[in-house]
């Protein structure tokens, strides 16, 4: 019987197993995605890999979206489900999928306010990272990675119609929110919390979450987002609030680009002037919504320590 088979193992053994599951999942499902894309689009696996360097080439966008979707599911979601099954006799309760805090409509309203106002804090943190006097060698590397990321975004977000918008929304928002939250707030954080102070567990999980994104100029922004997502899980013992906020956060850029022709390159430009009145208002809204959420979720407290 494999359910809960590793529940009593030392924390370091459980973490090693979790890392192993993620590594194997990433390797296997990325390879699987390449071969599925090869068969689907009638090109060689080598051509699939070369397309990642030039998404403008042929069916580059579609190939990327297919492989990325399979990779997201296989690297995060499936390892999370397997780990939850191995680490607890009640895997659904462990991962936090059994309950949703109430009142649901007010909880969701708070999450909408958080997602809307979080952009101000993310922008400030991004600018702090950009303005930091990094060594020239590190700066050059960061700028190169930033340009690659923006190039990928430019191609993927170049949506041709409403159907394409829904497809991009699925690839960039729905799948990452469900898969990443399942792994980080669903497995890693509760696993650490069994042995560590909850604040330390959230801190470590947020660091891993930010590091795995490999967006160094946005490291602080993603780290703070991870902290907020972690406290949503801690306060409610449910994975759904953090998953919804994660979705709103990722979906916002897709919605803004498609419906409002948002220029995210210009928004990230150092020449963009900060509107301090707007920023201050949004930060106040963020603080208010977080405090209201914390108060509303008090009835959901009582962390499960089951194994």
């Amino acid at each position: 019987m494999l359910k809960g088979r590793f529940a009593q193992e030392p924390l370091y053994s459980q973490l090693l197993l979790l890392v192993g599951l993620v590594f194997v999942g990433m390797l296997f499902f990325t390879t699987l995605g390449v071969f599925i894309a090869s068969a689907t689009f009638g090109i060689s696996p080598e051509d699939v890999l070369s397309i990642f360097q030039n998404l403008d080439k042929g069916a580059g966008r579609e190939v990327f979206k297919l492989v990325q979707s399979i990779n997201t599911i296989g690297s995060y979601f499936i390892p999370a489900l397997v780990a939850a099954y191995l680490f607890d006799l009640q895997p659904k309760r462990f991962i936090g999928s059994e309950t949703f805090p109430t009142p649901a409509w007010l909880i969701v309203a708070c999450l909408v306010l958080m997602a809307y106002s979080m952009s101000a804090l993310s922008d400030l943190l991004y600018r702090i990272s950009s303005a930091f006097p990094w060594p020239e060698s590190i700066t050059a590397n960061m700028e190169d990675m930033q340009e690659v990321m923006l190039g990928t975004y430019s191609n993927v977000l170049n949506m041709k119609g409403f159907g394409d918008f829904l497809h991009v929304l699925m690839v960039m928002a729905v799948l990452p929110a469900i898969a990443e939250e399942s792994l980080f707030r669903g497995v890693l954080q509760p696993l650490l919390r069994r042995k560590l102070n909850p604040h330390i567990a959230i801190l470590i999980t947020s660091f891993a979450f930010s590091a795995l994104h490999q967006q160094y100029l946005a490291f602080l922004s993603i780290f703070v987002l991870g902290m907020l997502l972690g406290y949503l899980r801690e306060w409610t013992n449910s994975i759904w609030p953090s998953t919804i906020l994660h979705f709103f956060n990722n979906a916002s850029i897709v919605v803004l680009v498609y419906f409002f022709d948002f220029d995210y390159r210009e928004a990230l430009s150092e020449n963009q002037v900060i509107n301090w009145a707007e920023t201050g208002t949004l930060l106040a809204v963020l603080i208010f919504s977080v405090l209201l959420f914390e108060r509303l979720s008090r009835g959901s407290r009582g962390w499960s320590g089951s194994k």
Side-chain angles (χ1 to χ4, degrees), residues 2 4-7 14 17-19 21-22 76-88 91 94-95 182-183 186-188 191 194:
L2 290 177
R5 169 63 180 80
F6 294 90
Q14 294 173 327
L17 178 57
L18 181 60
V19 171
L21 288 171
V22 171
Y76 303 109
F77 187 61
I78 292 179
L81 295 183
V82 173
Y85 190 84
L86 295 175
F87 294 157
D88 204 285
F94 175 78
I95 212 168
S182 295
L183 179 65
V187 174
L188 180 57
L191 196 63
R194 283 176 170 175

Side-chain angles (χ1 to χ4, degrees), residues 53-244:
Q53 307 301 319
N54 184 11
L55 297 185
D56 290 325
K57 179 181 176 182
R61 289 181 69 253
E62 302 308 313
V63 170
F64 176 83
K65 287 188 289 185
L66 176 59
V67 176
Q68 182 67 20
S69 298
I70 295 172
N71 176 265
T72 298
I73 294 169
S75 300
Y76 303 109
F77 187 61
I78 292 179
L81 295 183
V82 173
Y85 190 84
L86 295 175
F87 294 157
D88 204 285
L89 292 172
Q90 301 180 67
K92 289 183 179 179
R93 187 177 181 186
F94 175 78
I95 212 168
S97 63
E98 286 189 333
T99 60
F100 193 95
T102 56
W105 70 271
L106 198 48
I107 290 292
V108 173
C110 286
L111 295 173
V112 170
L113 288 176
M114 286 183 211
Y116 177 72
S117 56
M118 185 72 190
S119 60
L121 180 58
S122 295
D123 182 63
L124 281 178
L125 294 173
Y126 181 88
R127 291 174 185 277
I128 290 172
S129 297
S130 300
F132 190 82
W134 302 101
E136 187 174 341
S137 58
I138 296 178
T139 301
N141 184 52
M142 285 181 172
E143 290 176 350
D144 289 343
M145 295 186 70
Q146 178 78 357
E147 195 57 37
V148 169
M149 181 197 73
L150 290 175
T152 300
Y153 277 9
S154 294
N155 282 281
V156 175
L157 291 171
N158 184 24
M159 294 165 278
K160 308 299 183 183
F162 189 69
D164 196 16
F165 161 74
L166 293 177
H167 192 186
V168 173
L169 191 68
M170 176 65 69
V171 174
M172 292 189 66
V174 177
L175 290 180
I178 295 173
E180 291 177 14
E181 288 309 301
S182 295
L183 179 65
F184 289 100
R185 261 61 62 176
V187 174
L188 180 57
Q189 183 173 319
L191 196 63
L192 292 171
R193 196 192 185 287
R194 283 176 170 175
K195 302 293 184 181
L196 304 175
N197 177 286
H199 306 294
I200 300 299
I202 292 170
L203 189 71
I204 295 173
T205 302
S206 302
F207 183 87
F209 174 69
S210 186
L212 204 65
H213 280 78
Q214 299 182 43
Q215 297 178 25
Y216 300 111
L217 289 178
F219 183 91
L220 275 177
S221 302
I222 299 172
F223 176 78
V224 171
L225 172 64
M227 292 288 290
L228 178 55
L229 296 172
Y231 278 106
L232 297 186
R233 170 65 205 270
E234 172 67 23
W235 290 336
T236 63
N237 200 23
S238 170
I239 198 176
W240 298 118
S242 65
T243 301
I244 292 171

